[in-house]
């Protein structure tokens, strides 16, 4: 158990819908990272937040957005969903910023029908 | 553009033997490399890492070798155990950047 929690574990929705994925980092960790893993692909970095502020952006679509709240939990919002958005979404956290080991949550499996 | 490649999707090794997982990269700016292990229904777990100033790092049964000129790294597991059966991801980073670039993973099966 990494100490990073993600909810829900599974999510099934339809094209065009909007969903919110939630992540609670390990106690004391200030940085939260979001990754997407599509079928048979590696994890693709989406975005990083540090202590409530966006720190780095990767291959995140405009239809996706994220935020980190004062209690340090983070939410990833996916809107106007398409079939290709079906994937595993992982959240990771680390103590401070870059350079520190990232601990991953168990992921949320999103299926868009 | 796959900057980190793991060309073997799967590998089967007998218990007690050596497992060698390979990873190639194309971006010469990468200077820190990591291996993660992933069991089904769990997130990746950090296993071992190596900085580009080294060519070898060892931690118990796990050793990572880095060949910068060939842009190649490998993970050796000796001896392999059934509990090592998992998907192994190679990842790379530039400096202290946030972004980890992952390979597509190699599924290791250790048989009895």
């Amino acid at each position: 158990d990494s100490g990073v929690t993600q909810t829900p574990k599974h999510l099934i929705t339809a094209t065009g819908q909007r969903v919110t994925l939630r992540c609670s980092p390990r106690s004391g960790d200030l940085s939260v990272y979001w990754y997407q893993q599509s079928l048979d692909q590696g994890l693709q970095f989406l975005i990083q937040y540090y202590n409530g502020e966006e720190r780095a952006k990767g291959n995140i679509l405009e239809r996706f957005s994220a935020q980190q709240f004062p209690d340090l939990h983070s939410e990833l919002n996916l809107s106007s969903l398409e079939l290709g958005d079906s994937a595993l979404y992982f959240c990771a956290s680390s103590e401070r910023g870059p350079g520190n080991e990232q601990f991953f949550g168990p992921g949320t499996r999103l299926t868009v029908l | 553009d796959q900057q980190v490649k793991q060309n073997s999707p799967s590998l089967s090794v007998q218990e007690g033997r050596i497992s060698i997982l390979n990873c190639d990269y194309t971006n010469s700016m990468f200077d820190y490399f990591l291996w993660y292990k992933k069991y089904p229904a769990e997130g990746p777990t950090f296993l071992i890492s190596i900085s580009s100033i080294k060519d070898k790092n060892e931690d118990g049964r796990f050793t990572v070798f880095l060949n910068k000129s060939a842009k190649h790294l490998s993970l050796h597991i000796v001896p392999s155990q059934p509990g090592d059966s998992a998907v192994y991801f190679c990842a790379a980073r530039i400096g202290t950047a946030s972004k980890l670039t992952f390979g597509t993973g190699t599924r290791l099966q250790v048989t009895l």
Side-chain angles (χ1 to χ4, degrees):
Chain A
D1 184 357
S2 67
V4 179
T5 59
Q6 289 187 248
T7 56
K9 284 192 172 167
H10 302 276
L11 198 48
I12 301 175
T13 188
T15 55
Q17 294 299 304
R18 173 190 167 95
V19 296
T20 297
L21 312 183
R22 182 188 169 104
C23 168
S24 292
R26 292 187 322 155
S27 177
D29 284 0
L30 299 178
S31 270
V32 170
Y33 310 78
W34 286 97
Y35 291 84
Q36 178 194 55
Q37 185 188 16
S38 301
L39 189 64
D40 294 332
Q41 297 295 311
L43 283 74
Q44 301 287 323
F45 171 72
L46 296 178
I47 198 164
Q48 180 211 358
Y49 277 81
Y50 175 75
N51 204 19
E53 295 188 2
E54 182 183 305
R55 182 59 64 93
K57 227 170 185 176
N59 303 320
I60 187 166
L61 299 171
E62 285 192 11
R63 300 183 285 109
F64 296 0
S65 65
Q67 53 184 328
Q68 186 179 27
F69 294 86
D71 67 353
L72 300 177
H73 90 271
S74 177
E75 292 181 357
L76 179 67
N77 301 295
L78 315 176
S79 61
S80 303
L81 285 168
E82 301 175 359
L83 295 177
D85 297 327
S86 296
L88 267 169
Y89 291 84
F90 289 102
C91 169
S93 72
S94 68
E95 280 187 2
R96 294 183 293 277
N100 289 279
E101 180 186 337
Q102 297 180 24
F103 293 85
F104 283 80
T108 292
R109 181 173 293 281
L110 173 66
T111 302
V112 182
L113 301 175
Chain B
D1 177 24
Q2 193 71 28
Q3 296 187 58
V4 177
K5 300 176 186 178
Q6 294 177 257
N7 292 318
S8 299
S10 63
L11 175 67
S12 183
V13 172
Q14 270 192 323
E15 182 181 11
R17 303 271 185 151
I18 183 171
S19 294
I20 300 176
L21 296 96
N22 294 303
C23 178
D24 297 293
Y25 61 96
T26 57
N27 190 340
S28 57
M29 297 293 290
F30 288 139
D31 59 4
Y32 196 77
F33 304 89
L34 308 90
W35 284 94
Y36 281 82
K37 175 179 177 179
K38 185 184 180 304
Y39 292 117
E42 294 183 13
T45 302
F46 171 75
L47 195 56
I48 192 169
S49 62
I50 187 167
S51 164
S52 61
I53 62 173
K54 295 185 174 182
D55 54 18
K56 176 182 173 182
N57 189 26
E58 194 171 349
D59 184 2
R61 297 186 297 115
F62 302 91
T63 303
V64 56
F65 295 92
L66 175 63
N67 182 335
K68 288 188 291 293
S69 61
K71 294 192 180 70
H72 176 84
L73 63 155
S74 60
L75 174 68
H76 293 211
I77 307 174
V78 183
S80 301
Q81 299 174 354
D84 297 329
S85 297
V87 178
Y88 289 79
F89 290 98
C90 169
R93 194 179 73 201
I94 300 172
T96 57
S98 310
K99 174 182 176 178
L100 288 176
T101 302
F102 281 84
T104 52
T106 296
R107 182 178 303 277
L108 172 66
Q109 183 174 8
V110 179
T111 59
L112 298 173

